[in-house]
Amino acid sequence: MRPRPSLLAPAPPAHRLAEVHRLPTARADDALLAQAAARGDEQAAEAIWDRFSPLVRSIVHRSLGPAGEVSDLVQETFLQLFRQLPGLREPASLRSFLIGITLRVLGTELRRRRVRRWLHLSDSGVLPDLPGLEEDRDAREALRRLYAALDRIGDDDRLLFVLRHIEGLELTEVAAAQG
């Protein structure tokens, strides 16, 4: 029989979870997140998604208008980001790097749409009727005119306009994102 341990005797040291050092991803700066995600840290990748997906979604939605595969393009943007992260020379520029990738994904989508319209593989580019927009015809007309005007300018100019005037990014951020 084993002797019963005394209630006053100190307990043997147990392995503590606190000894595991994890990246405090919610509070980490962009450089730490980029470096950790480049090494394959899933928590860092999740934190990058949580931090930047609203920005990317907003840029994509505002660049393409209400019709479009916004979710698919946001996912494509992050897939490209995570593939390219190991080659990022300045991890602190994660935000600008991601915006640049977003612009390239959007540029590809805009060119694809232009070719499809030219080949008549899709609608003429007229905005589809979306629920909720019928109630405000003036807003719908203004939105239709905005995207018609954006369709007439070049892809790069369109993306720069959206970043600066719709997203409200500073000129330095727009310039860094555009390279």
Side-chain angles (χ1 to χ4, degrees), residues 59 62-63 150 158-167:
I59 292 169
R62 291 177 177 179
S63 296
L150 289 175
R158 176 185 184 134
L159 297 174
L160 291 172
F161 177 86
V162 168
L163 288 178
R164 179 66 178 129
H165 298 290
I166 296 177
E167 288 298 319

Side-chain angles (χ1 to χ4, degrees), residues 22-23 25 33 35-47 82:
R22 292 192 180 256
L23 178 68
T25 54
L33 285 176
Q35 291 166 341
R39 290 190 309 268
D41 185 323
E42 290 180 19
Q43 285 183 331
E46 289 173 15
F82 293 126

Side-chain angles (χ1 to χ4, degrees), residues 91-122:
S93 66
L94 176 62
R95 178 183 163 98
S96 297
F97 186 64
L98 180 58
I99 292 171
I101 292 171
T102 305
L103 294 180
R104 287 189 294 281
V105 168
L106 283 169
T108 300
E109 175 64 14
L110 290 169
R111 283 187 294 280
R112 184 187 69 78
R113 287 180 176 198
R114 193 176 327 107
V115 168
R116 289 186 67 141
R117 276 195 305 266
W118 181 71
L119 294 174
H120 303 289
L121 296 176
S122 70

Side-chain angles (χ1 to χ4, degrees), residues 130-150:
L130 295 175
L133 289 180
E134 293 115 17
E135 295 141 15
D136 191 350
R137 295 197 187 280
D138 291 337
R140 179 162 173 73
E141 179 60 21
L143 190 61
R144 187 194 64 74
R145 287 182 183 200
L146 171 65
Y147 285 107
L150 289 175

Side-chain angles (χ1 to χ4, degrees), residues 3-70:
R4 228 169 111 188
S6 166
L7 294 177
L8 298 176
H15 296 295
R16 304 183 73 201
L17 291 177
E19 294 174 16
V20 176
H21 297 286
R22 292 192 180 256
L23 178 68
T25 54
R27 297 180 312 257
D29 66 5
D30 292 352
L32 286 174
L33 285 176
Q35 291 166 341
R39 290 190 309 268
D41 185 323
E42 290 180 19
Q43 285 183 331
E46 289 173 15
I48 289 171
W49 172 268
D50 291 342
R51 186 175 293 177
F52 294 110
S53 65
L55 172 66
V56 172
R57 180 172 300 283
S58 178
I59 292 169
V60 170
H61 181 263
R62 291 177 177 179
S63 296
L64 299 179
E69 306 81 23
V70 173

